[in-house]
Amino acid sequence: MPAGSPQNGGQSAPRLLTKLAFVVSAALAALALRLAWESPLAGIVLLGVIASLVGLRWASRRRTRRILRSGDVETILERWSSSLDRIPHPETMRPLMTATALAAHGWVDQARAVLRTAERGPAWDAALEHRLFLESLLLTFEGSFEQAERKAAALAALPLPSAEPSMLERITMLRGAVAALIRAFSRKSLPGDAGLMLEASDASPLVHWAMRYGAAIEAVDAGELGRARGLIAEAPSWPSQSYFASFHHEIDAELERRASADLD
């Protein structure tokens, strides 16, 4: 019989592939937990990669990305629940990660409430990059742009962690995208900001819609109404708890106003 057949003690190809995917996903999970200390931004990106591999359990990589881009933050947190229970220093990191997911979907008030439950101490201090990223999002959505800019500047000034060059490029790109997001919401976009936000939306499904709303605002300000409309055309129907519901309504209203003005 072939060497891989179960009858002679071997393993079938599907079983080997499944075990290999499990081993790789476990290794990535360990790396993500370490990055939660050294660079939570990189950890967030890596969660998308892990989710893709664990997608063998969920059904497929496409379905995983669809969940992360669905806007259904409650389902996302449910999927993360067991992993967050095992993360180092869960009394600090679980609220931080939960608040990040909530903030990335516009649930600003809920994110603030969860963040207040995080235990302060060495783990809190070590998660400085994560906290700067999270505060940048929250302050931007709250309209506190000057404070958000200070947080983003502090984030950009942090030393880069020890990592592979491709990971360092990803971290640098995400830091830049946060600054671009703040400029978009404060109506001060610079050339290249839209591309940076869209790159971040593709690289990290968790912040997909946050970055696309920023890019849509930039497009409206640039007078590119069709591009703005296309960026949010497939957005989910946001619940009232999400600030994105009002952002979407405001962008739609502005698009209609400008389209009507063009017809006059």
Side-chain angles (χ1 to χ4, degrees):
M1 289 185 181
S5 64
Q7 286 85 343
N8 65 4
Q11 293 180 321
S12 67
R15 287 185 179 180
L16 284 172
L17 288 174
T18 300
K19 287 190 174 183
L20 178 61
F22 178 80
V23 170
V24 173
S25 65
L28 285 172
L31 177 58
L33 294 181
R34 182 171 64 81
L35 286 174
W37 282 99
E38 296 184 4
S39 177
L41 273 176
I44 290 172
V45 175
L46 197 56
L47 281 173
V49 179
I50 294 169
S52 297
L53 286 172
V54 177
L56 288 172
R57 302 176 191 174
W58 290 14
S60 70
R61 183 175 183 274
R62 177 173 292 183
R63 183 183 172 211
T64 298
R65 292 183 69 85
R66 191 162 57 242
I67 290 172
L68 287 171
R69 294 180 176 184
S70 68
D72 187 353
V73 69
E74 292 173 314
T75 295
I76 292 169
L77 289 174
E78 181 182 346
R79 295 283 185 175
W80 284 5
S81 180
S82 60
S83 296
L84 291 179
D85 285 338
R86 296 191 299 271
I87 200 169
H89 302 277
E91 66 283 352
T92 297
M93 295 308 300
R94 183 184 179 104
L96 277 174
M97 294 299 293
T98 300
T100 300
L102 290 167
H105 291 82
W107 291 50
V108 174
D109 298 334
Q110 293 79 2
R112 287 287 187 199
V114 170
L115 190 58
R116 285 193 289 271
T117 70
E119 182 175 298
R120 272 57 171 172
W124 176 267
D125 295 337
L128 176 60
E129 181 163 2
H130 194 151
R131 291 189 287 112
L132 289 172
F133 171 75
L134 176 55
E135 281 293 338
S136 296
L137 289 183
L138 291 172
L139 290 166
T140 298
F141 299 152
E142 291 167 340
S144 300
F145 301 126
E146 290 185 4
Q147 293 181 61
E149 287 170 356
R150 288 195 290 272
K151 297 294 184 182
L155 177 63
L158 289 178
L160 290 169
S162 300
E164 293 295 321
S166 60
M167 183 63 74
L168 294 179
E169 290 177 6
R170 188 72 61 89
I171 295 169
T172 301
M173 178 271 294
L174 284 171
R175 290 181 181 182
V178 170
L181 183 74
I182 297 167
R183 288 192 292 270
F185 272 81
S186 59
R187 320 308 281 264
K188 298 187 297 186
S189 289
L190 299 175
D193 278 355
L196 195 55
M197 287 184 283
L198 291 177
E199 185 179 359
S201 78
D202 289 337
S204 181
L206 184 63
V207 295
H208 177 77
W209 287 112
M211 293 296 170
R212 286 184 81 85
Y213 277 112
I217 293 171
E218 184 276 337
V220 170
D221 288 346
E224 299 180 25
L225 306 188
R227 179 163 66 88
R229 190 173 287 107
L231 284 167
I232 62 173
E234 297 181 3
S237 178
W238 299 102
S240 59
Q241 299 98 317
S242 174
Y243 279 33
F244 290 178
S246 61
F247 294 162
H248 196 107
H249 176 75
E250 290 169 10
I251 292 172
D252 271 346
E254 181 65 11
L255 288 171
E256 289 299 321
R257 187 190 69 78
R258 295 199 181 200
S260 297
D262 289 343
L263 293 175
D264 292 340

